[in-house]
Amino acid sequence: MRDIFLRRRMWRRRPELQRNYDAVIIGGGSHGLATAYYLAKNHGLTDVCVLEKSYIGSGAAGRNTTIIRSNYRTPEGAEFYQRSVELYERLSAELGYNLMFSQIGHLTLAHTERAMVTMAERAEVNQLLGIRSRVVDASGVKELCPEIEIGDTVTWPIMGALYHEPGGIIRHDAVVWGYARGADRLGVEIHNATEVTGIERSNGKVTGVQTTRGPIACDTVVSCTAGWSTLLANMVGVELPIWTSILQAFVTEPVKPFLDVVIVSSQMHVYISQTDRGEFLIGAEVEPYSTYSTRATFPFLEYSARHVLELFPQLGGLKVLRQWAGICDMSPDYSPIMGVTEVDGFIVDCGWGTYGFKAAPIVGTTLAELVAAGTTPALIEPFALERFYDDLPVSELAAAAVSH
């Protein structure tokens, strides 16, 4: 029986913490675990440990709203996320673990003429890059989602939408577990309940980290800590142009499935999808204040529910099961910050805002290449920290539709 139990474990029991690794990855979420997995799989580097101060997937990866898409506004962003979607499409087979990826389509609603122009611009950028996105009118929205209310009686009548066919939803905790199991089976060590309390440097280079379980010597530290990015960077003397806030969401009781497309409204600042269990998952915009608290608030619930009922009045009788908040780190141009810093060996992966979970596979792939080869992959060059000093922003202000 003991042998059967061990074979069924998702990953090995936490090993003893060694005093030296080739690379230390801080953050046991989707990005950190993906980076560790691809370091081992693509480059054969297994003398790597992932440090997580809580449990695996306890941060943004476990508190997001599961939407996967690539219909971004800038060529740099759209191409980057398209590569991520392509990796997600075959990730279940690669990891040998069902991630429940449902490419049900994604509708970004437009309620004004200006919004329709923005949707047309995004569709053109997407199509030039081979991404399946197109603008549909109000009747097209109704055809794709018969249950939605589009009439003139609503506060913001629907004029049309950007329809992104490959978009969809995925099981977020399955992604975390799949990457953790994959990395573990390739030899990477995963250490939860291990908090980094300091990062050591000498002569402008990383030399190790201090943890609640003792010091670790290493040449490379990769920070994949979402909203806590500035605190980690401060430990090594790197300033990041980031502010931290929270993104909230809630789910209803489960009902018979009828919503087979993701709905997003930039005007109402709300988005909604239905899970495989029949729950309606509803989110809104990031809160307009900086905080590290993950306590959900009643005003968010009230605001979001009101706007959802304008789109789907038939949901009025549903009970709310639970609500939560996740920490987001926001950059000035609403695009991520990835790559090397002025401290040799300290690599950052931050500034994702509400985009991070969508990018996990391509982040892991490119950061692993950066660590292994020592050169920045072309795909993430536009997202370097130094762009803010060179005045080369990659503005995705209009691409989130809700949160940015």
Side-chain angles (χ1 to χ4, degrees), residues 361-373:
I362 194 61
V363 167
T365 301
T366 52
L367 288 187
E369 182 181 343
L370 171 57
V371 172

Side-chain angles (χ1 to χ4, degrees), residues 129-173:
L129 293 170
I131 299 170
R132 299 198 305 277
S133 295
R134 57 186 171 89
V135 175
V136 296
D137 59 15
S139 62
V141 173
K142 191 69 173 178
E143 182 179 350
L144 289 164
C145 183
E147 300 81 8
I148 198 169
E149 179 61 57
I150 66 170
D152 295 334
T153 58
V154 298
T155 305
W156 289 289
I158 297 170
M159 298 185 64
L162 176 67
Y163 179 52
H164 179 49
E165 187 178 346
I169 55 177
I170 199 167
R171 182 74 182 183
H172 58 298
D173 46 10

Side-chain angles (χ1 to χ4, degrees), residues 25 33-48 179 182-189 364 368-369 371-372:
I25 298 171
L33 293 167
T35 301
Y37 170 75
Y38 290 114
L39 272 172
K41 175 180 179 291
N42 295 348
H43 305 283
L45 299 181
T46 59
D47 189 19
V48 174
Y179 271 131
D184 175 81
R185 291 182 174 181
L186 291 171
V188 171
E189 293 186 10
E369 182 181 343
V371 172

Side-chain angles (χ1 to χ4, degrees), residues 41-232:
K41 175 180 179 291
N42 295 348
H43 305 283
L45 299 181
T46 59
D47 189 19
V48 174
C49 73
V50 177
L51 304 180
E52 167 57 51
K53 71 175 183 178
S54 185
Y55 57 88
I56 297 301
S58 60
R63 295 171 179 269
N64 76 90
T65 48
T66 76
I67 297 172
I68 306 297
R69 62 185 177 90
S70 60
N71 58 345
Y72 282 75
R73 177 178 175 272
T74 66
E76 299 91 341
E79 182 181 9
F80 181 81
Y81 287 97
Q82 177 62 14
R83 291 280 294 277
S84 197
V85 169
E86 292 168 358
L87 289 170
Y88 264 127
E89 288 174 337
R90 56 180 184 267
L91 192 56
S92 288
E94 179 179 329
L95 296 176
Y97 194 76
N98 186 8
L99 307 181
M100 292 178 277
F101 186 19
S102 301
Q103 291 181 281
I104 55 179
H106 183 283
L107 279 170
T108 306
L109 304 179
H111 304 272
T112 65
E113 291 183 2
R114 177 56 193 162
M116 286 294 289
V117 171
T118 300
M119 299 308 163
E121 291 173 350
R122 288 174 59 183
E124 184 173 355
V125 170
N126 290 177
Q127 291 166 11
L128 288 171
L129 293 170
I131 299 170
R132 299 198 305 277
S133 295
R134 57 186 171 89
V135 175
V136 296
D137 59 15
S139 62
V141 173
K142 191 69 173 178
E143 182 179 350
L144 289 164
C145 183
E147 300 81 8
I148 198 169
E149 179 61 57
I150 66 170
D152 295 334
T153 58
V154 298
T155 305
W156 289 289
I158 297 170
M159 298 185 64
L162 176 67
Y163 179 52
H164 179 49
E165 187 178 346
I169 55 177
I170 199 167
R171 182 74 182 183
H172 58 298
D173 46 10
V175 173
V176 173
W177 297 338
Y179 271 131
R181 188 178 73 163
D184 175 81
R185 291 182 174 181
L186 291 171
V188 171
E189 293 186 10
I190 299 173
H191 295 270
N192 61 329
T194 307
E195 182 176 358
V196 173
T197 57
I199 301 176
E200 303 295 330
R201 56 179 288 186
S202 177
N203 298 321
K205 180 176 175 56
V206 164
T207 58
V209 299
Q210 296 289 335
T211 78
T212 50
R213 295 170 60 202
I216 301 172
C218 63
D219 295 325
T220 302
V221 172
V222 184
S223 174
C224 300
T225 52
W228 309 99
S229 301
T230 52
L231 303 184
L232 266 294

